[in-house]
Amino acid sequence: MAVKLKKRAMAEYSSQVLTEERHEQPIKRLKLSSRHSVSSDIEVDPILNIDLNSTERRILSELMKYSRHLKLSSSDNLETSIRRLEECLSRLKDNSVKYRLILIYAQILNTGKIGDIGEKMGKMCEHMTAESSNKLLSAWLQAAAICANKISHDKTVTGQVFEAGRQSLLRSANPQVHMSGLTLMAALVRPDTPDFNSKISSLIGSYSMSQDARVRSAAFSSLRRMHEERGVKLDVSLYPVLCSAIRDDYEGVRMEVLMIMRLLADVHPENQVKLDGDAGYNRLVDDVFSRICQSINDVREPVRCLAAQLIGNMSSVSQTFLEQTLDKKLMSNMRVKKSSHERQAGLVASGEWSSGKKWADDSPKEELGSKAVGLVSMGSCGAFVHGLEDECYSVRVAAVDSLTTLAMENHNLAVLALDFLVDMFNDEIEQVRLKAIESLTAISKHIKLQVHQLDIILSALDDFSTLLREKLHAMLQACSLATKDGLKSVINKLMVNLKKYPQDKRSILMTFKHLGANHPDLTLPLVTSLLHIHPFFDTPEPDIEDPAYLCNLVLVLNAAQHCPTLPPLLDQHTKRHHAYLKDTFPHLIPSASNSSQGSKEGSLPSEAANFIQSILHRVSMSRRMSSASHINILQASCNELERIASVQESISDPATFARLYLEGQAVYEKIVRGYSWSHNKSSGAGGELAPATRTNIIRLHTIANKLNSMFSYVDAENKMLIRILKVKMLAVRLVCVVCNSNKSAKAESDEFLTEFEAVLMDIQDKDLCKYKFMEAFNALALTDSKPGQLANKLKPLLIKHPPVSLQAVPSSVKQAKAVIHEPVGGSETVLKCLAGLVLGIRMDAELFNIPDPSLLRVCIRAADQVNQLSVPKRGD
């Protein structure tokens, strides 16, 4: 026993042995020092460790470290940190360090854990008034803007901050001070103080004509934030100022003005705006649309890109303005015409008389030249044409996106945009071509593809990019073809594509399926040529394994479901092939029973959901039984959920989620109700876990990771339950390592505490009582994180508070899945690789319900049982 205790002490502490030789009795003295932990930087209740004697480098380092864990700090430590910051601000001389101190000061006040924030804001106002350094004055203004939300209900403090900020703006000429002050002004407004808001709006508006471009940009940015973030709607009287500012020399100002114009158009779409040159009035949304379209010809790429994005987000624009974006010539119905009487009245009002020097200068001017006709702002003329032809691909991508958004809800615009989007298939940038394909897929219900358009579209099938070809296949599945010749050309091109890229077979078969279902009338005249049917002679029976014949057969059989005159044309061997394919490829070949089953399955999901709910209720009631009975019910429930998940596909994911959680409960009960997990073995000092317990712990670890990573769209309550299950799994593992091993459990304890703190931060104080384990362990308020002490405290809690039972599982839960088509298992082809050389293995897989594809990894297991994770390319 003494040997075992000594080994553990040596493992948990780095020891240095100092030996003194004495004649009477040798004595060993141990000097113990705590081992540095990887997670020592993560403190449960951090505090700012600076004082007046700290160096500037150390102060900056402590500020960066403290800002990362600021939310974990208690109110008492925050008060202490505030006092230390105030002391340093009063004594330090370096403005750069004081700048960082001021910002951390504001972040602490913004946490909401400081009581006298009104008094602190009063001190801020005093610093603003007395500060002479522009850098520090800008910092105090930024700090006040950060804390503005905390004083929004105190009119006295708000007025004091406003007056201090206004005085700072007026007495300083520094652009940084002006920018910070305008940000503060925008943060002070509230929807319920109209008089105060108008005063701030006029103050911010006065800086929109500043000589510094950064200040002008900050002024318009503050106006936009007032509208978007603070809920204070901008007045339409600001529109003339925006019309002049849209021609500003600085691109930042022009971009802010464009965004504000779009906001005004959304709020006041029907407001009448006077046109330039006394040409009449127009709707505000139409005038804004024209001016934003005009910015697509801007000299700067960011402005053009933003303009192309904004016009796609504008609704209720007149149809004539939308159609004008695809024509560079001004339409005649958009010309502003004057009658003969109005033109003669204008001539008389001008006071001009005939001089007699020019022949017939006083003749009636009924024939008008093009220059004499007033025009609506020509910004919308050919806006999308210019955007689609822009030299920067980002502008072209934005133009395609906006055109798609507008055309999805406008049939006439979709028909006009078809030719322009088809031309984008010839773009040199793959991203633009992909956007064009996705655009045609989105507006497929409005369009029909002609033969000359298909010639351009089908040329993209020769592209080397697998993603582009599959997107094009999806587009052909959704679109409608206008003529039989067009369908024939699509079939021939897909056959060539199948020979050139055999790996596209699955996608091409799905394309033929939808082509047949969408075009039964166009398929009927092609049946005899596709299947080589002769009216008088029997033709040889084709090989069912031939990919070309299989594609034609899928096309014809899907068309036959919607065309009653087509089945009589088929040969006997074709009908036999139909029966064979219904069993081999049920997802490609329709059957009469599928349609009848579809109507019956409408009521099954609700019944299955009720069945899952009854299982969860039964498990919840079984908590009152003995441990063995409870485990038996959990295992039986898991078997039932597994069965219903395999039978009813529509609720497979919720059933799998519930099964995994119940399985985790059963494994947890088996572990904690056993003896070996938390008791030292008597035989020897180096005892290990029993094989069954070790297997259960590994299994519980796998289940917890699956629940936390493989399921999306989980509601907040269930998400918290699976996170707590992971915390308990880490706690069980910690106890097992401490009680059954001589190695250090520092890593396990750090991992448990980190996860516990992360979960605890996401639980509100009023909801903490729902989670008994979290509440009980948090109430211990442990000051020491030694693994042994943690294990002793966790043992009774883990037994007393098992995982909470599920109350319900929403039907929206989705499970991440992968179906690997290539490489297939059991292949006879041996893949050989040499050291130092790269072996290329083609992989074809379908992925489902993955919210973030960047987290995807491919696990490669070699013959020597070594696993290697590979990151797939972004374009795959």
Side-chain angles (χ1 to χ4, degrees), residues 80-323:
T80 305
S81 301
I82 283 285
R83 289 194 297 271
R84 293 179 180 179
L85 285 172
E86 291 175 348
E87 293 175 0
C88 293
L89 283 172
S90 61
R91 302 289 182 87
L92 290 177
K93 302 299 182 181
D94 191 344
N95 288 343
S96 299
V97 178
K98 294 176 70 175
Y99 184 90
R100 292 297 306 169
L101 291 173
I102 293 172
L103 295 183
I104 294 294
Y105 184 83
Q107 292 176 14
I108 294 177
L109 294 181
N110 195 39
T111 57
K113 299 179 181 179
I114 304 299
D116 53 347
I117 188 171
E119 180 183 351
K120 303 295 183 183
M121 295 300 294
K123 293 182 179 180
M124 278 192 187
C125 295
E126 295 176 1
H127 284 292
M128 293 181 203
T129 306
E131 189 59 61
S132 59
S133 172
N134 288 323
K135 185 172 185 176
L136 297 184
L137 179 58
S138 175
W140 284 115
L141 291 171
Q142 294 179 39
I146 294 174
C147 303
N149 291 330
K150 301 300 180 183
I151 61 168
S152 57
H153 300 289
D154 192 339
K155 295 184 179 180
T156 304
V157 179
T158 302
Q160 186 179 359
V161 174
F162 167 73
E163 188 62 29
R166 189 178 69 86
Q167 293 296 333
S168 301
L169 285 172
L170 295 178
R171 67 186 175 87
S172 176
N174 187 274
Q176 292 294 336
V177 174
H178 289 176
M179 293 166 62
S180 302
L182 293 173
T183 303
L184 171 60
M185 294 296 110
L188 293 176
V189 298
R190 287 188 305 165
D192 56 348
T193 55
D195 297 335
F196 183 65
N197 296 342
S198 61
K199 186 187 302 184
I200 290 182
S201 298
S202 60
L203 176 62
I204 295 177
S206 63
Y207 284 88
S208 63
M209 300 298 176
S210 173
Q211 62 180 359
D212 194 288
R214 295 170 294 176
V215 178
R216 297 197 302 271
S217 180
F220 286 112
S221 178
S222 300
L223 291 174
R224 178 176 57 83
R225 284 199 299 272
M226 287 172 55
H227 184 98
E228 291 182 335
E229 301 175 6
R230 307 299 296 177
V232 178
K233 304 301 180 184
L234 297 178
D235 192 75
V236 74
S237 60
L238 183 65
Y239 187 68
V241 179
L242 300 176
C243 292
S244 60
I246 202 172
R247 297 185 291 272
D248 196 277
D249 294 337
Y250 183 52
E251 63 178 279
V253 176
R254 299 198 297 273
M255 295 175 68
E256 292 291 343
V257 168
L258 289 176
M259 289 186 281
I260 296 177
M261 279 187 166
R262 204 263 301 174
L263 295 175
L264 285 179
D266 291 342
V267 178
H268 311 283
E270 301 299 330
N271 191 76
Q272 296 297 313
V273 178
K274 186 174 178 56
L275 299 177
D276 298 335
D278 196 19
Y281 292 87
N282 204 353
R283 297 169 65 227
L284 177 63
V285 63
D286 293 337
D287 194 68
V288 169
F289 184 78
S290 295
R291 295 182 185 275
I292 294 179
C293 287
Q294 193 171 2
S295 297
I296 290 187
N297 298 318
D298 197 273
V299 296
R300 296 290 297 165
E301 177 194 353
V303 181
R304 298 198 303 271
C305 189
L306 177 63
Q309 293 172 357
L310 290 178
I311 58 179
N313 298 327
M314 297 189 65
S315 58
S316 67
V317 181
S318 300
Q319 183 68 24
T320 53
F321 282 84
L322 290 176
E323 296 177 358

Side-chain angles (χ1 to χ4, degrees), residues 517-536:
N518 296 338
H519 309 90
D521 297 334
L522 300 181
T523 307
L524 179 61
L526 300 175
V527 171
T528 56
S529 61
L530 292 175
L531 300 181
H532 303 289
I533 298 175
H534 196 275
F536 305 112

Side-chain angles (χ1 to χ4, degrees), residues 719-732:
K719 195 172 186 65
M720 186 57 63
L721 291 181
I722 61 178
R723 293 183 66 185
I724 293 177
L725 178 63
K726 183 178 180 180
V727 172
K728 292 184 178 180
M729 179 272 297
L730 295 174
V732 168

Side-chain angles (χ1 to χ4, degrees), residues 628-695:
S629 301
H630 182 53
I631 292 175
N632 291 334
I633 291 179
L634 285 173
Q635 291 176 344
S637 301
C638 290
N639 295 333
E640 294 174 357
L641 289 171
E642 185 177 6
R643 176 61 179 165
I644 196 174
S646 62
V647 172
Q648 187 64 32
E649 186 179 357
S650 59
I651 60 167
S652 173
D653 294 346
T656 305
F657 176 82
R659 178 185 63 80
L660 278 176
Y661 188 85
L662 297 186
E663 186 179 351
Q665 283 185 281
V667 175
Y668 180 89
E669 291 286 343
K670 290 180 182 180
I671 295 174
V672 300
R673 299 303 174 187
Y675 179 82
S676 64
W677 76 287
S678 61
H679 295 81
N680 295 326
K681 284 198 172 185
S682 58
S683 58
E688 295 183 355
L689 274 174
T693 305
R694 185 188 306 108
T695 303

Side-chain angles (χ1 to χ4, degrees), residues 476 481 487 490 494 511-520 523 555:
L476 292 174
L481 307 181
L487 179 59
V490 171
L494 287 175
T511 305
F512 273 102
K513 174 188 174 181
H514 288 86
L515 284 174
N518 296 338
H519 309 90
T523 307
L555 173 74

Side-chain angles (χ1 to χ4, degrees), residues 396-626:
R396 300 199 296 274
V397 170
V400 172
D401 278 338
S402 296
L403 183 56
T404 304
T405 304
L406 295 174
M408 286 173 62
E409 305 298 333
N410 193 315
H411 175 76
N412 295 331
L413 183 63
V415 174
L416 292 175
L418 177 57
D419 286 331
F420 295 95
L421 293 175
V422 169
D423 288 339
M424 300 307 295
F425 280 65
N426 297 323
D427 197 276
E428 60 183 357
I429 304 298
E430 180 181 349
Q431 185 177 352
V432 181
R433 299 198 298 271
L434 282 173
K435 283 293 181 182
I437 294 174
E438 294 173 355
S439 176
L440 288 187
T441 306
I443 64 174
S444 58
K445 64 179 181 180
H446 300 294
I447 60 175
K448 283 191 174 182
L449 300 178
Q450 303 295 332
V451 177
H452 67 280
Q453 296 166 343
L454 286 171
D455 293 339
I456 302 175
I457 292 174
L458 296 177
S459 62
L461 285 174
D462 297 327
D463 199 287
F464 182 74
S465 172
T466 303
L467 177 61
L468 190 142
R469 293 197 306 273
E470 291 188 352
K471 290 282 187 181
L472 190 53
H473 293 161
M475 189 214 76
L476 292 174
Q477 296 170 20
C479 288
S480 300
L481 307 181
T483 62
K484 172 176 68 75
D485 295 335
L487 179 59
K488 184 66 176 177
S489 63
V490 171
I491 294 173
N492 293 335
K493 189 64 179 179
L494 287 175
M495 292 299 182
V496 175
N497 185 229
L498 182 61
K499 293 180 180 179
K500 188 174 182 179
Y501 301 104
Q503 62 268 26
D504 293 351
K505 180 180 177 180
R506 286 187 306 103
S507 179
I508 292 176
L509 284 173
M510 291 298 298
T511 305
F512 273 102
K513 174 188 174 181
H514 288 86
L515 284 174
N518 296 338
H519 309 90
D521 297 334
L522 300 181
T523 307
L524 179 61
L526 300 175
V527 171
T528 56
S529 61
L530 292 175
L531 300 181
H532 303 289
I533 298 175
H534 196 275
F536 305 112
F537 302 104
D538 289 337
T539 56
E541 181 176 349
D543 184 9
I544 191 65
E545 300 297 333
D546 182 13
Y549 173 69
L550 180 61
C551 291
N552 289 332
L553 195 58
V554 169
L555 173 74
V556 173
L557 294 178
N558 280 276
Q561 295 293 318
H562 307 281
C563 184
T565 59
L566 195 152
L569 299 176
L570 303 179
D571 290 335
Q572 291 300 323
H573 61 77
T574 304
K575 296 178 181 178
R576 291 197 308 270
H577 293 168
H578 182 200
Y580 169 76
L581 292 177
K582 280 195 299 185
D583 296 332
T584 310
F585 301 103
H587 62 289
L588 294 176
I589 306 300
S591 61
S593 59
N594 288 344
S595 58
S596 60
Q597 290 178 0
S599 59
K600 295 180 181 179
E601 290 179 355
S603 60
L604 285 180
S606 60
E607 297 176 1
N610 294 333
F611 179 69
I612 294 177
Q613 188 63 34
S614 65
I615 292 177
L616 297 179
H617 179 70
R618 182 180 64 190
V619 170
S620 179
M621 297 299 295
S622 68
R623 298 298 295 268
R624 304 173 184 176
M625 303 180 181
S626 63

